[in-house]
Amino acid sequence: MKSLFLVVFILNISCSSAKKTVQDSNINKDTLPAVTDTRTIDKTDPTLPGCIKKMIREFQQEEKQNPPRSIYRYTYNEKLVYYVPPICCDFFSDLYDNECKLIAHPDGGFTGRGDGRAVDFIQTRISEKLIWKDER
């Protein structure tokens, strides 16, 4: 029980550190999306799903993360999907469909390989678009 507490304590300290960066973490940097289009979509854009706009508002009300929160849009299996990179350490990334239903955690976690439900996402995704990034 003491070792579990110690692990949780260490994870909390390392993830809350303001100086922590992606380069310092054990996130597999090869699986993070490469930004090919740095223009963001206006969050008031009527083509952006309401649930994604809501997610952006929720992220803006949270404490700023390091690395900053961001949302990317891709085409995956011929459908639009939204990818939220992991916020720290051994956290999962999130992959949502156009209705914000969680499809998978394609990367991150203790192994860096996600939850195994979208193992081909990183290699087969196309049409990357940065939707939003916390610039605070």
Side-chain angles (χ1 to χ4, degrees):
M1 187 66 160
K2 288 182 181 180
S3 60
L4 176 62
F5 175 76
L6 183 60
V7 168
V8 170
F9 178 74
I10 291 170
L11 281 175
N12 281 337
I13 289 172
S14 66
C15 289
S16 63
S17 171
K19 297 180 192 257
K20 187 94 174 142
T21 65
V22 172
Q23 290 79 24
D24 297 330
S25 72
N26 57 1
I27 296 171
N28 183 350
K29 290 165 266 322
D30 295 331
T31 64
L32 292 177
V35 178
T36 56
D37 186 344
T38 58
R39 294 170 294 155
T40 58
I41 295 176
D42 180 357
K43 66 183 177 187
T44 62
D45 181 344
T47 64
L48 193 61
C51 57
I52 298 297
K53 292 176 189 178
K54 180 180 177 192
M55 189 180 299
I56 292 169
R57 286 191 302 271
E58 289 170 359
F59 288 167
Q60 289 173 324
Q61 292 175 359
E62 294 176 354
E63 185 175 315
K64 183 181 177 188
Q65 302 292 323
N66 188 7
R69 288 279 209 172
S70 56
I71 301 173
Y72 293 83
R73 183 180 69 200
Y74 293 95
T75 300
Y76 172 63
N77 291 339
E78 300 180 16
K79 296 179 183 172
L80 286 180
V81 295
Y82 296 88
Y83 173 82
V84 180
I87 57 171
C88 180
C89 315
D90 294 321
F91 286 68
F92 283 123
S93 62
D94 297 320
L95 184 64
Y96 297 96
D97 69 10
N98 212 31
E99 297 174 359
C100 292
K101 292 180 185 158
L102 184 64
I103 298 169
H105 303 290
D107 59 346
F110 290 116
T111 66
R113 296 182 179 164
D115 64 2
R117 293 188 291 160
V119 295
D120 65 340
F121 171 71
I122 301 299
Q123 294 79 25
T124 63
R125 62 189 178 181
I126 58 171
S127 304
E128 178 181 83
K129 179 73 176 178
L130 176 62
I131 299 298
W132 174 82
K133 183 175 181 180
D134 190 350
E135 299 289 349
R136 292 182 282 170

